[in-house]
């Protein structure tokens, strides 16, 4: 069964680490909601306005905290596993992980409750993870989730999918302390756009206005964009669509914004 068909057949869907900008993916989830009365839990640091009409729950987490979020998913949806995994989960400081990731334990409890009567559950795993600095431990978590949960996995990144499918190592490492991403951030999406899409909050912090030409600067990388304020976007993460071989690695980058002087 292909990935789209799997989603269409589902009556409970969680997505993590993807903004779901792909129209086919987004439409397939919406169709599952309409046709199957599916519950859809969208998990991401950025609320996607185009999903608001059909997600049943938003779990918004801190940039970089995916390792902790997937540990919380594992804790919530896997009850029967091997002794080693049970011991690891029993030793997790759930309150600390929840506080660090800004995703409440009660939110995962709500998601679990909403999944109870579902027959076809799907976890969509996005491209944000492949260049995460903790990807190897994340892969172990996801391989265990695939083995012991009653979810089907739809992995959007082929390289990540291969890593999960071939993972035989269940020796989970302790979660790493979350690195803080302060200030103005960009979230890199594939595409070609000469605009930097930002919230009013982002523009205020960067001291720039709608329509300004700006430089987006990160370490030794620098590009020019036209700033566009999107009233539906909130917070301090801007959206940067770019196909160029720049700002590579983890999809979120701390950046400096400089107005281009006339």
């Amino acid at each position: 069964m292909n990935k789209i068909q799997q989603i269409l057949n589902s009556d409970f869907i969680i997505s993590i680490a993807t903004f779901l900008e792909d129209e086919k993916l987004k439409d397939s989830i919406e169709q599952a909601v309409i046709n199957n009365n599916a519950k859809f839990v969208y998990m991401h640091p950025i609320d996607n306005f185009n999903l608001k009409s059909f997600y049943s729950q938003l779990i918004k987490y801190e940039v970089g905290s995916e390792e902790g979020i997937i540990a919380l998913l594992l804790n919530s949806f896997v009850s029967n596993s091997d002794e080693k995994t049970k011991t690891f989960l029993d030793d997790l400081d759930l309150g600390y992980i929840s506080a660090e990731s800004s995703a409440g334990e009660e939110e995962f409890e709500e998601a679990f409750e909403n999944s109870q009567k579902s027959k076809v559950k799907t976890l969509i795993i996005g491209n944000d993870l492949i260049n995460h600095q903790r990807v190897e431990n994340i892969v172990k978590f996801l391989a265990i989730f695939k083995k012991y949960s009653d979810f089907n996995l739809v992995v959007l990144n082929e390289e990540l999918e291969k890593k999960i499918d071939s993972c035989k190592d269940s020796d989970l490492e302790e979660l790493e302390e979350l690195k803080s991403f302060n200030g103005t951030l960009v979230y890199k999406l594939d595409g070609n756009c000469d605009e930097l899409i930002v919230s009013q909050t982002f523009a205020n912090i960067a001291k720039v206005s709608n329509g300004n030409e700006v430089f987006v600067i990160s370490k030794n990388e620098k590009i020019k964009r036209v700033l566009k304020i999107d009233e539906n976007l909130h917070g301090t993460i801007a959206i940067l669509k770019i196909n160029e071989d720049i700002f590579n690695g983890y999809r979120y980058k701390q950046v400096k914004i400089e107005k281009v002087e006339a």
Side-chain angles (χ1 to χ4, degrees):
M1 188 184 302
N2 69 33
K3 294 174 180 180
I4 295 296
Q5 194 58 53
Q6 176 60 56
I7 294 168
L8 288 169
N9 290 346
S10 303
D11 59 358
F12 185 78
I13 302 165
I14 297 175
S15 72
I16 183 169
T18 173
F19 193 60
L20 290 169
E21 69 277 10
D22 181 280
E23 287 298 322
K24 282 186 181 178
L25 266 176
K26 182 173 73 68
D27 291 347
S28 64
I29 297 169
E30 187 171 15
Q31 285 306 307
V33 171
I34 294 167
N35 297 333
N36 311 335
N37 199 27
K39 301 283 188 185
F40 169 42
V41 183
Y42 171 63
M43 303 175 66
H44 202 265
I46 309 172
D47 188 2
N48 186 334
F49 180 79
N50 295 317
L51 308 176
K52 274 183 180 288
S53 62
F54 58 92
Y55 65 56
S56 52
Q57 188 181 0
L58 165 68
I59 298 181
K60 203 170 178 182
Y61 57 84
E62 290 292 326
V63 170
S65 67
E66 289 89 349
E67 182 185 28
I69 291 294
I70 293 167
L72 290 171
L73 271 179
L74 199 63
N75 180 73
S76 299
F77 289 96
V78 171
S79 54
N80 297 310
S81 60
D82 59 85
E83 285 303 316
K84 197 161 46 175
T85 302
K86 282 180 182 175
T87 301
F88 181 88
L89 292 175
D90 287 344
D91 289 343
L92 282 178
D93 186 342
L94 300 177
Y96 174 77
I97 298 168
S98 176
E100 286 292 289
S101 63
S102 296
E105 290 177 68
E106 69 283 353
E107 295 180 273
F108 287 84
E109 290 165 9
E110 180 184 337
F112 176 75
E113 289 300 321
N114 286 334
S115 75
Q116 286 296 83
K117 294 180 181 178
S118 301
K119 294 177 181 174
V120 184
K121 301 171 188 173
T122 298
L123 175 65
I124 302 171
I125 301 161
N127 291 319
D128 297 1
L129 297 179
I130 191 60
N131 289 312
H132 194 288
Q133 64 177 8
R134 297 288 291 168
V135 67
E136 298 307 326
N137 208 37
I138 287 170
V139 163
K140 293 178 195 177
F141 278 125
L142 291 172
I144 291 169
F145 189 90
K146 182 178 182 179
K147 184 176 181 179
Y148 292 112
S149 80
D150 55 353
F151 278 72
N152 301 286
L153 265 58
V154 170
V155 187
L156 303 183
N157 182 282
E158 286 185 15
E159 183 185 345
L160 187 64
E161 186 172 29
K162 287 175 185 173
K163 282 177 177 283
I164 295 167
D165 289 344
S166 63
C167 180
K168 307 298 181 195
D169 182 1
S170 59
D171 287 328
L172 297 170
E173 299 171 21
E174 292 298 316
L175 272 62
E176 194 169 86
E177 191 172 330
L178 183 62
K179 174 192 170 188
S180 59
F181 285 80
N182 298 319
T184 46
L185 306 175
V186 293
Y187 176 58
K188 181 182 173 182
L189 292 177
D190 295 330
N192 214 354
C193 180
D194 62 0
E195 294 175 329
L196 179 69
I197 313 299
V198 308
S199 67
Q200 184 64 61
T201 301
F202 185 104
N204 292 344
I205 292 170
K207 296 182 172 59
V208 286
S209 304
N210 191 51
N212 283 168
E213 273 197 322
V214 297
F215 289 119
V216 184
I217 305 165
S218 175
K219 292 185 179 177
N220 299 322
E221 300 170 312
K222 181 177 180 178
I223 58 169
K224 187 190 287 188
R225 286 292 184 269
V226 176
L227 193 102
K228 181 183 178 184
I229 293 174
D230 184 342
E231 298 300 333
N232 296 317
L233 193 62
H234 302 282
T236 59
I237 308 171
I239 294 173
L240 176 68
K241 292 186 179 181
I242 186 169
N243 286 326
E244 297 167 43
D245 189 21
I246 191 171
F247 295 153
N248 289 326
Y250 185 50
R251 285 191 166 217
Y252 297 87
K253 287 281 186 293
Q254 287 176 294
V255 296
K256 183 180 177 184
I257 303 296
E258 283 185 3
K259 187 176 174 181
V260 177
E261 296 303 329

